Amino acid sequence: MLVMAKSAALYRGRIGNSIGLLVLGSVFAAIYHFVGLRAVSSMIQSIAGIFIVICLFAGVHLTADAIAQEKREGTLGLLFLTPLTPFQIVLGKMVACSLSGFYWLLIAVPLLSLMLIVGGLSGREMVMVVAAGLNTLFLSAAVGMYASTRHTERKKAGALGSWIMIFFWMGAPGLALLFGELNFQPWTIRAMELLGIGGAMIMFAGPAPRTFSSPWINLGVLHLVGWVFVALATWSLKRNWQEVSARKRRTFREWWKNLSLGKPEVRLRLRQKLLNRNPFLWLASRERLRALGVWIATAIFVIATGVSVAVGGLAAMVVVMLTLAICFFHRGGAAATSAHQLQMEYEQGTLEMIMSTPLAAEEIIRGQILAVRRLFRGPVMIVLILHALAIAVLLGISPGRNEYRTAALVAVHGAMYLFDLHALAWAGMWCLMFVRDGRNAAGAAVVRVTLVPVMIVMIGMTAGGIAGWYFDFGFEPSFPQIVISWLAVAILNNLWWLRQTRKKLPEQIRVFAMKRYSPQERLTWLGALGRWLGTKLRGAAGSNRTGASASAAGGM
């Protein structure tokens, strides 16, 4: 904790949090001044939702490498030579690594206090939101510590912790809904409700089966679950702090390689099939289990959708959410797949070797795009069939105006789903060239291609509502107008990204391949500002010295 308290990143985080709080407070004051309490009340749900979602995954992200890094560096055994017990090591690491996340959460507390002052939020609701956020951060950090004791790589530990938190966020409430429709025992439904993070939030925290008469019970259960994960991390640390023997690991790797790449004759057939078509396509398509994972995830979503339709009692919104979830999963998978092989070749130091062959950068890009299409063509076809079935059902039973409108919306979503996959295959490679950590390339691409159009439409709607109220003109766009606006913005955004990547990506890949041997320091915006000020000050000082020297020479 002492090392973390003195770290420069923590001080930069405090400065950034202070600036963020100042900006958000100014925006809140402006909205309250021009619009009034009505707009403030509508902001509460958004702020509470952002608050709780940050808490869900911030703890996992901060603690996923706490023990894993010690394992990789071989220093975990030194900690056991100190008087510290395994529980003290786990608890100290968790608190130290979560300290910056705690500072992040302090931004929301003054904003909620302002809402309490102006009357948009009661004191009980404010205490509940803050307590639920801190409790969720504790649970997330505990889950991250447990995952960190199970793996030596941060990526795998973070993935395990994220999936566990997704279960508490969406899985447990979804199971409670499903158990209720299937007439399970009441205690099983109640147990799933108590494990859902949504039950502890009055306003927003994802899907919640119902509102508890006492959310504090749900809060207490989740807090106990957090301590259970701390105990599991302590137990796992005592059993897994030593490295596995090299023989056992090598045997497992050989088994996994044979399972993933196939037997020699299978590899030969795949090489003969793809190598002449495009060498990089063969490199990116060798692992069979990656395609199997996409098929398994798609099958899970499809089966869940089928069960929802067969039960009949579930709301149509559940089917819609499952369909949107599988489409969003495919979007993220396409972005991750497009960047995976390039990142792996870069980390292994073989990308520059590939670039030194007669294979051009354009052929590498084409091979990667073909690999994405080859991996997702089957699952995408299933999703498109589901869209077609939905349209057929809507138009087959007494079609009316609402049915035609819904069928058109489903068709538009299917078309944009295909267009987004194509754009994300390019944007994933582009974002890999510029992100600080290559593992974040897929997320950056999804944000730029999928979420930015939605954010633009939401900002436009908010600005139009405020302008309509201030200038006294009606601004109430209908749902079809909102959909058309989103469609236009999404199409323009995808076309811009395709044009940008097709034009500049080949040159950026050449630069990216050699960046390993010419590392450049990546500055934050504060560092860039300091460099700019230093350059200006040095330039001004040099001009003053030149003027003084010229005056002295003239006087002589």
Side-chain angles (χ1 to χ4, degrees):
M1 290 182 63
L2 181 62
V3 175
M4 181 60 66
K6 293 182 177 180
S7 66
L10 192 61
Y11 284 99
R12 290 195 298 267
R14 291 176 184 175
I15 296 174
N17 292 341
S18 302
I19 295 174
L21 178 60
L22 180 62
V23 172
L24 291 176
S26 302
V27 172
F28 173 83
I31 293 177
Y32 178 70
H33 175 74
F34 289 108
V35 182
L37 185 59
R38 177 167 55 89
V40 172
S41 300
S42 64
M43 291 174 57
I44 295 176
Q45 183 175 359
S46 300
I47 292 178
I50 296 172
F51 179 70
I52 203 68
V53 169
I54 291 176
C55 296
L56 274 168
F57 300 103
V60 170
H61 175 74
L62 292 172
T63 60
D65 206 32
I67 302 297
Q69 184 181 8
E70 301 285 351
K71 288 183 178 181
R72 292 195 304 270
E73 297 177 354
T75 56
L76 185 57
L78 299 177
L79 293 177
F80 285 98
L81 298 177
T82 65
L84 297 175
T85 63
F87 175 75
Q88 291 173 336
I89 294 174
V90 170
L91 194 61
K93 284 279 189 181
M94 186 179 70
V95 174
C97 294
S98 305
L99 194 59
S100 58
F102 174 75
Y103 286 128
W104 296 345
L105 299 186
L106 293 182
I107 297 178
V109 177
L111 293 177
L112 295 174
S113 302
L114 290 176
M115 296 180 185
L116 176 64
I117 293 173
V118 301
L121 189 69
S122 66
R124 181 177 180 275
E125 291 174 339
M126 176 184 170
V127 172
M128 173 58 65
V129 171
V130 175
L134 293 175
N135 192 64
T136 305
L137 178 65
F138 168 72
L139 174 62
S140 178
V143 169
M145 287 299 302
Y146 169 71
S148 184
T149 60
R150 301 292 300 178
H151 296 282
T152 57
E153 298 181 16
R154 178 180 179 179
K155 183 178 180 180
K156 294 181 179 180
L160 175 61
S162 298
W163 280 113
I164 294 175
M165 292 307 299
I166 289 174
F167 169 77
F168 288 113
W169 183 26
M170 294 184 177
L175 288 176
L177 282 172
L178 185 61
F179 290 171
E181 296 296 335
L182 297 178
N183 297 322
F184 275 48
Q185 293 293 329
W187 66 268
T188 59
I189 302 174
R190 180 65 173 174
M192 290 296 102
E193 290 176 349
L194 288 175
L195 290 177
I197 291 178
M201 289 296 295
I202 297 175
M203 291 165 289
F204 176 85
R210 62 183 177 85
T211 302
F212 289 96
S213 56
S214 178
W216 295 103
I217 298 177
N218 177 255
L219 206 63
V221 170
L222 291 176
H223 190 75
L224 290 177
V225 171
W227 283 110
V228 168
F229 275 101
V230 172
L232 289 175
T234 304
W235 174 80
S236 178
L237 181 63
K238 291 189 291 186
R239 293 177 59 90
N240 302 318
W241 69 275
Q242 289 180 321
E243 291 289 341
V244 183
S245 62
R247 180 180 179 182
K248 183 177 180 181
R249 185 190 305 173
R250 184 168 56 251
T251 303
F252 174 77
R253 285 183 175 178
E254 291 176 356
W255 174 82
W256 185 263
K257 181 179 179 180
N258 290 331
L259 182 63
S260 178
L261 301 180
K263 297 180 180 179
E265 55 271 16
V266 176
R267 300 181 218 170
L268 178 61
R269 287 198 301 267
L270 182 65
R271 184 164 58 248
Q272 292 174 347
K273 179 181 179 181
L274 301 179
L275 191 60
N276 293 331
R277 186 179 176 187
N278 188 289
F280 203 82
L281 169 62
W282 167 69
L283 281 176
S285 304
R286 290 183 301 168
E287 296 184 13
R288 301 182 301 173
L289 292 184
R290 195 184 308 168
L292 181 61
V294 176
W295 276 104
I296 291 175
T298 303
I300 291 174
F301 282 111
V302 171
I303 292 172
T305 305
V307 171
S308 302
V309 175
V311 169
L314 292 179
M317 185 57 66
V318 177
V319 179
V320 173
M321 293 301 296
L322 288 173
T323 304
L324 293 177
I326 186 175
C327 292
F328 189 80
F329 169 77
H330 284 173
R331 287 181 173 97
T337 303
S338 66
H340 174 75
Q341 191 64 34
L342 286 173
Q343 179 189 359
M344 187 169 65
E345 299 293 342
Y346 173 78
E347 291 177 350
Q348 294 175 352
T350 54
L351 182 58
E352 61 273 12
M353 297 181 184
I354 296 176
M355 296 298 298
S356 63
T357 65
L359 192 65
E362 291 78 6
E363 287 297 314
I364 294 176
I365 297 172
R366 179 174 174 271
Q368 186 64 73
I369 296 295
L370 292 175
V372 174
R373 292 177 182 175
R374 186 176 183 273
L375 179 64
F376 282 90
R377 60 189 177 189
V380 168
M381 186 61 64
I382 292 178
V383 173
L384 293 179
I385 292 174
L386 291 178
H387 281 72
L389 289 176
I391 295 174
V393 170
L394 288 170
L395 300 181
I397 47 174
S398 61
R401 183 177 180 182
N402 292 333
E403 283 75 14
Y404 282 118
R405 182 181 299 176
T406 307
L409 182 61
V410 173
V412 167
H413 179 266
M416 282 306 303
Y417 163 69
L418 285 178
F419 196 15
D420 283 348
L421 289 178
H422 180 63
L424 283 166
W426 286 85
M429 292 184 285
W430 176 264
C431 292
L432 179 65
M433 307 293 110
F434 299 99
V435 294
R436 187 186 300 271
D437 189 348
R439 294 168 294 187
N440 300 328
V446 170
V447 169
R448 287 162 171 77
V449 173
T450 305
L451 299 184
V452 166
V454 178
M455 295 172 61
I456 291 175
V457 173
M458 291 177 61
I459 293 173
M461 293 289 297
T462 304
I466 295 175
W469 175 87
Y470 187 76
F471 295 105
D472 196 17
F473 67 88
F475 182 79
E476 295 182 358
S478 61
F479 182 73
Q481 292 174 339
I482 297 175
V483 173
I484 292 174
S485 301
W486 163 77
L487 182 62
V489 174
I491 291 176
L492 292 176
N493 183 63
N494 286 357
L495 290 175
W496 185 89
W497 276 108
L498 287 174
R499 179 180 179 274
Q500 181 85 355
T501 52
R502 287 176 183 271
K503 182 179 179 181
K504 300 182 179 180
L505 186 58
E507 180 62 29
Q508 290 296 331
I509 286 184
R510 298 184 186 96
V511 176
F512 178 72
M514 302 307 297
K515 188 170 64 175
R516 182 184 184 91
Y517 301 102
S518 57
Q520 296 180 356
E521 181 183 4
R522 298 181 65 90
L523 298 178
T524 61
W525 65 273
L526 289 175
L529 179 61
R531 173 179 289 182
W532 180 79
L533 290 176
T535 303
K536 295 297 182 182
L537 291 175
R538 284 196 300 269
S543 300
N544 293 335
R545 286 195 298 268
T546 303
S549 300
S551 300
M556 294 176 61

